[in-house]
Amino acid sequence: NAGVTQTPKFQVLKTGQSMTLQCAQDMNHNSMYWYRQDPGMGLRLIYYSASEGTTDKGEVPNGYNVSRLNKREFSLRLESAAPSQTSVYFCASSEAWIGILSSYNEQFFGPGTRLTVL
Amino acid sequence: KNEVEQSPQNLTAQEGEFITINCSYSVGISALHWLQQHPGGGIVSLFMLSSGKKKHGRLIATINIQEKHSSLHITASHPRDSAVYICAVRAGTASKLTFGTGTRLQVTL
């Protein structure tokens, strides 16, 4: 039982390049989330998927796209990377979507991807 | 003003000390989460609470809804408790968490 896994762990891109961050969970969770973490700021939600087949924008969606490939996998794509997207990206999952208050709202986080855009 | 404020930002303690980390928020909330981020970067959920108090091992989390305040206490602190502790709130019926910037704790021998 690996929990939430993310690949890659580290990535360096040049401005304008594209890439996809992969995330998978093996806990049969319904909801998945992508966050970014920047120095001096709290985690911010980029996109989320409340359930398989749905995706919605979070606080900072510009420059990103997501795909909920199946119940296990939720990918984040940067189509044309910019230096402002240099950050640490975390994927998380929860059994119940945070939008519905539940004792199953606890979020489980992946190890993070450190992305640098030059 | 941020919706979620944590204090202190940094905290150094000696092994064995009792530690308190505070979280204040400015909006009505339906739930509050405490998380721990290890030096290597991994994030673990510690507590989720909407009232009262929860205890897990040496960790205790309390919340006062009227005062819009929560505390995380660590009893008999140990160097392995060194981490960043993050408070996050679910405001009302929001579909997201709002995170504080964290309290960096270092426990020395």
Side-chain angles (χ1 to χ4, degrees), chain B residues 2-57:
Chain B
N2 292 333
E3 287 185 5
V4 181
E5 298 273 357
Q6 289 187 236
S7 63
Q9 287 189 317
N10 295 284
L11 181 57
T12 300
Q14 285 197 316
E15 185 177 13
E17 285 186 11
F18 180 84
I19 288 163
T20 297
I21 297 169
N22 298 298
C23 175
S24 297
Y25 48 89
S26 57
V27 297
I29 68 165
S30 48
L32 183 142
H33 297 241
W34 280 103
L35 307 104
Q36 179 192 54
Q37 185 166 23
H38 298 290
I43 299 173
V44 174
S45 178
L46 297 175
F47 295 103
M48 185 180 74
L49 64 168
S50 53
S51 65
K53 177 178 170 178
K54 285 192 175 180
K55 184 175 189 292
H56 181 70

Side-chain angles (χ1 to χ4, degrees), chain A residues 10-74:
Chain A
F10 301 93
Q11 184 72 49
V12 178
L13 294 177
K14 294 181 180 176
T15 297
Q17 287 185 317
S18 63
M19 79 161 293
T20 299
L21 281 65
Q22 307 285 355
C23 173
Q25 52 90 11
D26 62 2
M27 296 172 283
N28 201 36
H29 283 172
N30 292 303
S31 303
M32 298 185 74
Y33 313 81
W34 276 105
Y35 293 97
R36 59 178 289 172
Q37 186 178 42
D38 300 296
M41 303 185 75
L43 286 155
R44 291 181 292 167
L45 183 65
I46 305 171
Y47 269 93
Y48 67 93
S49 171
S51 61
E52 185 180 358
T54 70
T55 60
D56 277 291
K57 295 178 181 179
E59 298 173 74
V60 288
N62 291 346
Y64 306 94
N65 282 302
V66 290
S67 296
R68 182 77 182 264
L69 304 167
N70 47 55
K71 193 170 185 181
R72 288 187 65 247
E73 298 172 287
F74 188 39

Side-chain angles (χ1 to χ4, degrees), chain A residues 35 37 40 42-43 45 48 59 90 97-103 105-107 109, chain B residues 30-31 33 35 37 41-43 45 48 86 90 93-97 99-101:
Chain A
Y35 293 97
Q37 186 178 42
L43 286 155
L45 183 65
Y48 67 93
E59 298 173 74
F90 287 95
W97 177 46
I98 197 72
I100 299 173
L101 188 62
S102 164
S103 57
N105 285 150
E106 180 185 2
Q107 296 196 4
F109 287 80
Chain B
S30 48
H33 297 241
L35 307 104
Q37 185 166 23
I43 299 173
S45 178
M48 185 180 74
I86 300 169
R90 179 181 180 269
T93 58
S95 57
K96 69 177 184 72
L97 294 176
F99 292 80
T101 55

